[in-house]
Amino acid sequence: MLKRIGLTGLLLILLTGTRLSAQVDAQFSQYWALPSYYNAGSVGYNDKLNILAATRQQWVGMPGAPKTFLVAAHMPFRLLKQNHGVGLLLENETIGLFKNMSVGAQYAFKVRLWGGQLGLGLQAGMLDQRFDGTKVSIPSSDEHVQSDDGIPQSELQGIAFDMGFGAFYTHKYFYAGLSALHLTRPTITFEEKYETYTKQAYYFMAGGNIPIKNTLLELQPSVMLKTTFDVTQVEATVRLRYKKFLWAGLSYRWKDAAVIMIGAEIKNVIFGYSYDYSLSPIVKANDGSHEVFVGYSMKVDFSDKNKNKHKSIRIL
């Protein structure tokens, strides 16, 4: 997530009766394994049905810290002698007394370009936000705040339409993608008193696969840039893969965290683990962040109908 607002800050904003700007995109250190979460153009990037689940517990030891669970699935298909991709996303995240759940359907149109494949994708779905005001704790000594109608003390829920667009290019040696999420700036009103809206967010993702000559090793660098133009975040990752089986890597998120990660690929199954060590002052209040993902892929057989199959360099 580009920016987190603590529970106390959220309540103060609600007290003033002003609109609250929310950024609901979760932080994933292993972003390179989850391209469809950021870019609808990536769905169907290879010739396989790909199913992946990921979970992240951020800032362990801090009360109310973000916890995220994500399920993504996508696959290619052919229609009218043209390659396409389709996918689904389901995300659930809790932050203190807030809960964000999003569901999205994705479609990508595929074209052969410069020896690779370009996917142009759309994502449409719903964003569900909830606040459990029944668990708000107000000191008994503060009688004025307890009686303030600006602090919700009931369960609130709202739903809004959300939409995104992405372009994703894969080649034998590299991949790159550019996307925009929350194009509709989804706005949710709770009981006509409190309102949140989600800013548009833009993502750039790129990476490559570099075989190390005369070895069984491959170097896999990648980079991610995220911005709302109010907040920008950059992270870079380098992974070393052995025999297309075991891998380990390091990542650096600018002025935020250093990350170590390990994983393995066994036949059609892949899994990975990462640990974030905070580099900002928040390190004093938490024990780091943990993230795990597991994926399964199964080849989709187009027989002779697709003679120009594209072999993706990505892990699934």
Side-chain angles (χ1 to χ4, degrees):
M1 179 172 288
L2 305 186
K3 186 176 182 181
R4 299 290 187 184
I5 303 177
L7 176 59
T8 301
L10 288 168
L11 288 174
L12 287 176
I13 294 175
L14 291 174
L15 271 169
T16 65
T18 60
R19 301 176 75 208
L20 170 64
S21 172
Q23 175 62 40
V24 297
D25 298 334
Q27 173 70 56
F28 284 107
S29 295
Q30 298 171 101
Y31 57 87
W32 45 266
L34 307 165
S36 67
Y37 177 67
Y38 303 96
N39 193 320
S42 70
V43 298
Y45 61 73
N46 58 15
D47 59 357
K48 298 178 180 179
L49 165 64
N50 303 284
I51 303 173
L52 186 142
T55 183
R56 178 180 176 87
Q57 184 166 346
Q58 191 160 322
W59 303 329
V60 174
M62 179 183 295
K67 296 179 182 179
T68 309
F69 179 73
L70 171 71
V71 176
H74 66 89
M75 63 175 287
F77 70 96
R78 282 185 64 80
L79 180 64
L80 302 177
K81 298 182 179 181
Q82 175 64 49
N83 291 333
H84 309 264
V86 65
L88 290 171
L89 282 176
L90 173 62
E91 178 197 2
N92 187 74
E93 182 178 38
T94 58
I95 310 174
L97 302 183
F98 284 83
K99 179 178 291 186
N100 298 313
M101 185 177 73
S102 60
V103 179
Q106 301 168 304
Y107 165 78
F109 180 81
K110 305 291 183 178
V111 294
R112 303 291 297 181
L113 183 66
W114 303 322
Q117 180 175 256
L118 174 66
L120 301 175
L122 286 172
Q123 176 175 321
M126 303 300 295
L127 172 62
D128 181 305
Q129 293 185 337
R130 306 185 183 199
F131 176 77
D132 190 356
T134 64
K135 296 181 180 179
V136 171
S137 177
I138 303 175
S140 58
S141 58
D142 199 335
E143 297 180 0
H144 172 71
V145 175
Q146 284 186 332
S147 60
D148 196 318
D149 187 53
I151 300 181
Q153 297 188 36
S154 61
E155 294 186 1
L156 306 178
Q157 179 185 10
I159 299 176
F161 176 72
D162 198 6
M163 190 173 182
F165 171 81
F168 196 84
Y169 181 76
T170 56
H171 191 274
K172 180 179 180 181
Y173 301 110
F174 68 94
Y175 64 89
L178 186 64
S179 61
L181 301 183
H182 316 305
L183 293 176
T184 56
R185 292 174 61 91
T187 300
I188 295 177
T189 300
F190 302 104
E191 295 183 347
E192 300 182 354
K193 297 179 182 179
Y194 323 105
E195 187 175 89
T196 68
Y197 72 95
T198 302
K199 291 184 177 180
Q200 296 173 354
Y202 303 89
Y203 295 84
F204 171 76
M205 178 193 300
N209 189 41
I210 306 172
I212 300 178
K213 191 175 181 180
N214 299 323
T215 72
L216 298 174
L217 299 173
E218 298 169 287
L219 194 64
Q220 297 181 318
S222 60
V223 64
M224 166 76 87
L225 183 149
K226 332 173 198 179
T227 185
T228 61
F229 294 112
D230 290 325
V231 180
T232 299
Q233 188 178 82
V234 180
E235 49 193 303
T237 303
V238 176
R239 294 184 300 125
L240 190 65
R241 185 166 68 164
Y242 172 68
K243 294 181 66 174
K244 301 184 185 299
F245 170 49
L246 297 173
W247 54 265
L250 299 173
S251 184
Y252 173 69
R253 190 175 307 118
W254 180 254
K255 295 183 178 181
D256 182 65
V259 185
I260 59 173
M261 54 187 71
I262 57 174
E265 302 173 48
I266 304 174
K267 293 185 178 179
N268 295 330
V269 177
I270 180 171
F271 57 90
Y273 165 80
S274 67
Y275 171 79
D276 295 25
Y277 179 79
S278 299
L279 299 177
S280 64
I282 203 171
V283 67
K284 299 177 182 180
N286 75 92
D287 297 321
S289 304
H290 300 273
E291 182 180 304
V292 177
F293 80 85
V294 60
Y296 173 79
S297 61
M298 179 177 66
K299 191 168 184 177
V300 178
D301 187 8
F302 292 125
S303 297
D304 295 332
K305 294 182 179 180
N306 185 9
K307 296 181 180 179
N308 297 317
K309 292 181 180 179
H310 175 65
K311 183 179 180 181
S312 172
I313 64 172
R314 297 189 60 76
I315 57 177
L316 291 180

